[in-house]
């Protein structure tokens, strides 16, 4: 009996977020959608994460309109998004009614599967959005952020899964954003969850490829009972991105597992993005190949480039090694949070500050908030001395409550502020855009009518500029088919110029 | 009980052969040797394959001197080489006494482990070199070229292993030069060999990374009992190269297997080659990431770039797809040989000819030889019609004997010819260099005194030159179709020796 393994395709969201700084324009994804829709994926991740921010900040593209377009272009597919729990797609906590409205509007505009995580694995920050998704009759996927620390054992993750199941999640995602998930750990956690929560509980596994081992981890997760794994089409895969879809399919041959995807369609999707990728050269991650130092530093790839640029701005580009040593110490002081948006940025920035100015001599307000519980409960105990410094610097006490419980109803105020902005159409969608990105939304509303930008550029400067034209390499000239091939032929010591016209067989 | 898995490091040979067209200069490897020697590898592959050819053709470096240097620099390591059986490191069959002398000199100069293969898996072409290695008291590794065809089953490979063990091989290598070895096949073959030949028979597994699945295959091979696997340090890994050493180490954590390598030394080796690699940009393979089309075309990565440059030289760069379809047909006509040097070049070049000029309208003399048995016995039946065409074009009969059995003693003649060359030092080593590369050796002997070249270039200085710099045809490690190409052409009933130089358009 061959078990079919479901696949979530990441090329429309996390793949270009990880490889091309989230810059891919909607118009560049449109031509691949028909094939993606018919390839046989369990779901297509296409929204959320950093795409919302990138749409309004860089692409002058309405993210809600992008969602509606995907809904139209992928009529047979489950659309999937990544949602940061109580943070939605922004960087602070929102009051529950804002969460409700966001989930309602995402569902109405076409979203099917909500992958919901919290950077601290604090289940209280996940709960309300799970309930909102279920109220909409959509698929709520509760997410465990995988990380490595003295506090994070198989048992920790299995317990978290159990609590997510109790919340009513339709499936569990084991999310390995930093490519730290080794094969045996993948096996043990998936097996542990299936044993504890029952075989019927669906488990999805999301890994990045950065360290080079995680395709093996997916194999082990599948052997342990995982139901669905995330991959990206090969031409948008690897490096800080994900394992290639086609390799996953090939990997399963003969193993008793199979992924029933349409290979011809995969081939076309691959060719589409292969032709497109060079157009985004300017935004491409400079991690190619693998980076196994992450196993020691636990620092995800995106965080490294971030810290690197912070250091360079301060003329201290040569102090990255020191920051690498400081990050795990800061993380320990903060109670071993997983490193994922926003905790990765908060811990990374504080490590940079510590190296440049002395340990905790300057504390970012975000790091103080993290120490004081304003992002939720960290997995372990926080260092009491650093906690006291945080309270002193931030002039506020540590809290134990769920952070959103401290928030007053805010929808009315957000609505009033948003609707006052030139270009705001007063829809709930626009209010939510403003709520999540109050600095960026005003500019976006004002310029929205000018239409989306495409930041992709023809890699060959000499090539004739054709807006939206076929990228180089895609043109199929049959000119060469008809052109005779010329040779210099030396025959019995004499040289001849011979031209040969290919014979069609 | 944790089983220790041995590792063969490839960075000094196959890694730069696969990624940098074999161009790495000895002086660029020297600084890494102390760490490589102490890292804990089972062996260090550092010689053979295309390196000998590249040394004298491009680097003005004496390959025998390179071997002696490695012997000095790696005093604690087993040195390993890749030997093409009766072809040695050249492209024709050699008479047995030449094979004896080559193996003797390699052993005397410091070689420990001889990995011996034949492109057709014809064990008769492996036998004599295995005996020569054993006579020298060195490690003879009998090699199975893995390939995929209707004729190649687990049983076929296990049977071949059995015969290699009977020959007296000290270990068996399963060699997957095209990254076609999927996980279950790896498991089944290794398990099959261990079951048939006994647990004590050492099995080494060599895979390339091109298709993205072979780290999983190594995991499965290890689970099935493989004793040693080949990897390359991460900064010289992936693409058409190999799986990263550090990822292999990480992969095994907690699995009941371990690789006991020194991580600090790995880190230094990695940094050394990471800094060096950009200097060889001009020679770098343009396959980055993975290429899973190989599963359908069975064409190894190096062969693709070779065919691509052949087509481009003839103004037919857009006909690669057609060649992809033609290669499996040519391979079937030839009795399904594995595709590895030199069969890969022979089949690939014939496929190019078939596409450009009509099926078998022009047959390379090498392809005719392959059809007629002059390379040995192909795994399956050869197409009788194509066989007849080969006999007609080559004016010689098909043979059934071991090809080397038709050769007359040739050492004296080779010695006389070599010693007559200006700059030849009359050593057996020089005679062997001449024997294997009679076109290249004279030029090399003449210029040897000028000392080695380093083709690495400062990436900033090299950037403008690299576009029109090295001739595209010379960028691949494959040699068979280097221009000019010679044919026997029958014109108006008379036979002519014709040499053809493609005109770059």
């Amino acid at each position: 009996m061959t078990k079919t393994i479901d696949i979530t395709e990441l090329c429309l969201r996390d793949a270009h977020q990880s490889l091309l700084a989230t810059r891919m324009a909607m118009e560049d994804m449109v031509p691949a959608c028909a094939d993606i829709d018919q390839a046989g994926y369990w779901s297509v991740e296409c929204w959320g994460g950093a795409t919302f921010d990138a749409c309004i900040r860089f692409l002058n593209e309405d993210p809600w309109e992008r969602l509606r377009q995907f809904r139209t272009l992928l009529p047979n597919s489950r659309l999937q998004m990544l949602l940061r729990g109580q943070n939605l797609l922004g960087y602070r906590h929102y009051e529950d009614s804002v969460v409700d409205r966001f989930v309602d509007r995402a569902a109405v505009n076409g979203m099917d599967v909500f992958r919901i995580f919290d950077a601290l694995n604090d289940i209280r920050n996940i709960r309300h959005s799970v309930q909102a998704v279920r109220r909409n009759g959509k698929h709520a996927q509760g997410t465990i952020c995988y990380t490595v620390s003295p506090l994070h054992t198989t048992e920790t993750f299995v317990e978290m899964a159990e609590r997510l199941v109790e919340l009513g999640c339709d499936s569990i995602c084991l999310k390995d954003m930093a490519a730290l998930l080794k094969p045996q750990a993948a096996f043990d956690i998936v097996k542990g969850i299936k044993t504890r929560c029952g075989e019927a509980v669906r488990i999805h596994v999301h890994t990045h490829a950065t360290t080079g081992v995680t395709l093996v981890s997916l194999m082990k997760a599948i052997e342990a009972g995982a139901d669905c794994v995330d991959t990206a089409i090969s031409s948008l895969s690897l490096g800080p991105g994900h394992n290639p879809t086609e390799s996953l399919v090939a990997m399963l041959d003969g193993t008793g597992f199979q992924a029933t995807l349409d290979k011809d369609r995969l081939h076309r999707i691959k060719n589409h993005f292969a032709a497109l990728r060079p157009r985004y050269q300017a935004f491409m991650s400079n991690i190619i190949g693998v980076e196994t130092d992450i196993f020691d530093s636990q620092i995800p790839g995106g965080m490294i480039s971030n810290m690197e640029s912070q250091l360079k701005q301060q003329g201290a580009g040569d102090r990255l090694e020191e920051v690498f040593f400081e990050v795990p110490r800061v993380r320990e002081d903060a109670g071993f949070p997983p490193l994922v948006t926003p905790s990765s940025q908060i811990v990374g920035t504080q490590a940079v500050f510590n190296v440049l100015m002395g340990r905790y001599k300057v504390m970012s307000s975000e790091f103080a908030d993290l120490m004081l519980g304003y992002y939720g409960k960290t997995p372990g105990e926080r260092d009491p001395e650093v906690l006291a410094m945080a309270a002193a610097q931030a002039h506020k006490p540590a809290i134990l409550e769920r952070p959103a419980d401290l928030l007053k109803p805010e929808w009315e105020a957000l609505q009033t502020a948003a609707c006052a902005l030139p270009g705001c159409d007063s829809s709930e969608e626009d209010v939510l855009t403003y709520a999540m990105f109050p600095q960026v939304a005003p500019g976006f509303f004002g310029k929205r009518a000018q239409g989306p930008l495409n930041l992709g550029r023809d890699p060959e400067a000499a090539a004739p500029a054709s807006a939206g034209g076929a990228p180089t390499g895609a043109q199929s000239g049959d000119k060469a088919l008809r052109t005779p091939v010329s040779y210099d032929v030396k025959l019995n010591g004499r040289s001849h110029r011979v031209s040969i016209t290919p014979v069609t067989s």
Side-chain angles (χ1 to χ4, degrees), chain A residues 63-82:
Chain A
W64 296 98
E65 176 55 24
R66 178 182 280 203
L67 172 55
R68 288 186 290 268
Q69 278 188 268
F70 278 135
R71 181 66 290 163
T72 305
L73 293 165
L74 300 159
N76 302 295
S77 301
R78 287 186 190 88
L79 304 189
Q80 183 171 319
M81 75 169 291
L82 183 66

Side-chain angles (χ1 to χ4, degrees), chain A residues 117-318:
Chain A
F117 79 96
D118 176 67
L120 304 184
N121 280 337
D122 185 342
I123 208 147
R124 302 172 305 168
N125 294 333
I126 294 175
R127 191 181 62 218
H128 197 82
S129 23
V130 168
Q131 291 165 349
V133 171
R134 290 183 56 78
R135 182 170 41 71
N136 276 279
K138 300 297 182 181
H139 185 114
Q141 185 169 95
T143 301
I144 301 164
C145 291
Y146 180 73
T147 190
V148 175
S149 87
L151 303 177
H152 289 90
T153 63
T154 300
E155 178 58 25
T156 328
F157 295 119
V158 171
E159 264 173 26
M160 182 170 175
E162 207 175 3
R163 292 164 67 200
L164 290 170
V165 171
E166 287 163 9
L167 272 194
C169 290
D170 297 290
S171 61
I172 302 297
C173 173
L174 179 61
K175 175 182 166 73
D176 172 34
M177 53 282 169
L180 294 172
L181 183 65
K182 293 178 184 173
Q184 192 62 43
F187 185 92
D188 293 343
I189 294 169
V190 172
K191 195 63 151 180
I193 297 172
K194 287 279 184 179
T195 305
R196 182 82 58 86
C197 305
E199 286 296 321
V201 170
R202 275 187 74 83
I203 303 182
H204 292 228
V205 183
H206 175 90
T207 60
H208 283 245
T210 333
T211 55
V213 308
T214 58
L215 188 63
V216 189
S217 309
L218 292 184
M219 184 76 230
K220 287 292 162 191
I222 288 168
E223 289 177 1
D227 300 278
C228 182
V229 297
D230 289 13
T231 59
I233 200 77
S234 60
S235 50
L236 272 186
S237 74
L238 297 178
H242 313 84
N243 291 294
T245 305
E246 302 95 312
S247 300
L248 188 289
V249 173
M251 174 182 89
L252 296 180
D253 270 5
T255 59
F257 303 97
Q258 63 181 353
T260 53
L261 299 182
D262 181 325
K263 285 191 185 184
D264 290 336
R265 291 190 186 271
L266 293 188
H267 203 256
R268 287 203 292 272
I269 300 165
K270 167 198 166 191
N271 288 344
H272 171 76
F273 288 110
L276 207 59
R277 186 169 169 166
R279 298 179 59 80
Y280 290 92
Q281 182 70 47
F283 305 105
M284 221 171 275
S285 161
N286 52 8
I287 297 181
I288 51 163
V290 304
E291 182 48 82
T292 53
D293 289 354
I294 300 168
F295 285 125
D296 297 319
S297 69
Q298 295 135 19
I299 302 171
M303 191 173 155
I304 294 173
S305 54
N306 216 38
M307 295 187 306
E308 222 168 354
S309 77
Q310 287 174 358
L311 285 167
K312 275 184 191 153
Q313 280 167 16
Q314 308 288 326
D318 57 333

Side-chain angles (χ1 to χ4, degrees), chain A residues 14-36:
Chain A
D14 202 7
H16 76 91
Q17 178 171 332
S18 300
L19 295 174
L20 310 176
T22 333
R23 295 304 204 282
M24 196 173 284
M26 184 65 188
E27 67 169 355
D28 285 340
M29 298 188 251
V30 167
C33 284
D35 285 317
I36 292 171

